Amino acid sequence: MIEGLQLRHHNADEAEGILDQLVDLYLKVYAGGGEFHSEDRYRRQLFLHMQRVGWELVTATLDGTLVGYIYGFPLPPQTRWWEGIHEPVPPGFTDEDGQRTFAVSELLVHPGWRRQGIARALHDALVEGRTEARATLLVRPDNDAARAAYRSWGWSSVTKLRPNWEAAPTFDVFVRSAQVIEPKGLHVGAAPSHPAPLPCQDDGS
């Protein structure tokens, strides 16, 4: 852990006060990323996601400066999160009741502060101790660093999914059980700690 790094949990009301900082960091991470990574689209995404019951944000700051964050929310019973999933999947895989699955939507670390364990610290602060039976996230198939990191953190790739938004790529669906055993021979910090930000569905549900 970097000396002086502070992690803090926020609910949606608390996050309102740092909304511009969240957007600014997103734009730094995705500089030159095209229309999908525009400020307008991300502000709409944040607005929609922050309405979700149980939405939670964890921020990482150094000397009062935001250097990373992660957020997610439990999937509601009538979620659209699984639209576009590739079959076959186990029976009942996409069934949700509001308490079964926690969806990790964004994990961002400032480009100047990567490879220092911040992503892992944020991940553990948000995901560890969740009461849901499992967590899920989407990873681009060509993002080898992120895939390696998530696997070392107890995640498994299950299938693929192409979200229902314009020009969306196809992602790998990763799932993590609430009971995780570290893969043999791996330990905290053994894998890359700078996975790229996670994509998510625009409506966030």
Side-chain angles (χ1 to χ4, degrees):
M1 181 75 74
I2 299 174
E3 183 177 356
L5 184 71
Q6 294 188 332
L7 302 181
R8 181 183 173 188
H9 292 254
H10 311 255
N11 60 30
D13 290 339
E14 294 165 342
E16 286 283 355
I18 58 170
L19 191 61
D20 287 343
Q21 295 180 54
L22 300 179
V23 174
D24 286 347
L25 181 54
Y26 178 90
L27 295 177
K28 285 185 175 72
V29 169
Y30 276 118
E35 180 60 28
F36 181 74
H37 299 296
S38 69
E39 177 176 352
D40 179 67
R41 194 213 60 82
Y42 189 59
R43 284 188 181 276
R44 286 186 284 112
Q45 172 186 303
L46 273 177
F47 174 79
L48 291 170
H49 286 185
M50 290 168 68
Q51 314 307 309
R52 304 302 169 194
V53 175
W55 185 89
E56 185 178 3
L57 166 77
V58 180
T59 57
T61 59
L62 279 167
D63 298 325
T65 299
L66 183 69
V67 296
Y69 65 88
I70 185 173
Y71 79 76
F73 46 86
L75 295 180
Q78 301 303 318
T79 182
R80 296 178 56 192
W81 181 273
W82 299 118
E83 289 184 1
I85 196 165
H86 290 194
E87 300 288 350
V89 292
F93 180 81
T94 61
D95 293 347
E96 300 295 346
D97 59 9
Q99 301 179 347
R100 183 187 185 191
T101 307
F102 185 79
V104 179
S105 187
E106 293 288 348
L107 172 53
L108 307 170
V109 176
H110 190 287
W113 290 100
R114 292 176 181 167
R115 297 180 180 270
Q116 300 189 59
I118 295 176
R120 177 65 191 260
L122 286 166
H123 168 274
D124 290 354
L126 181 67
V127 175
E128 299 290 348
R130 295 295 314 179
T131 59
E132 295 84 6
R134 64 182 185 176
T136 191
L137 53 80
L138 304 178
V139 184
R140 292 186 68 110
D142 59 354
N143 192 337
D144 293 334
R147 290 166 57 85
Y150 291 126
R151 288 185 190 282
S152 77
W153 300 346
W155 295 79
S156 299
S157 179
V158 176
T159 185
K160 296 184 180 295
L161 182 150
R162 187 176 187 277
N164 187 26
W165 27 265
E166 186 177 353
T170 297
F171 297 103
D172 287 336
V173 176
F174 274 64
V175 173
R176 185 180 191 266
S177 170
Q179 301 297 324
V180 175
I181 299 175
E182 288 280 346
K184 189 174 182 179
L186 289 174
H187 54 83
V188 174
S193 59
H194 58 290
L198 303 172
C200 53
Q201 309 239 18
D202 274 350
D203 67 352
S205 58

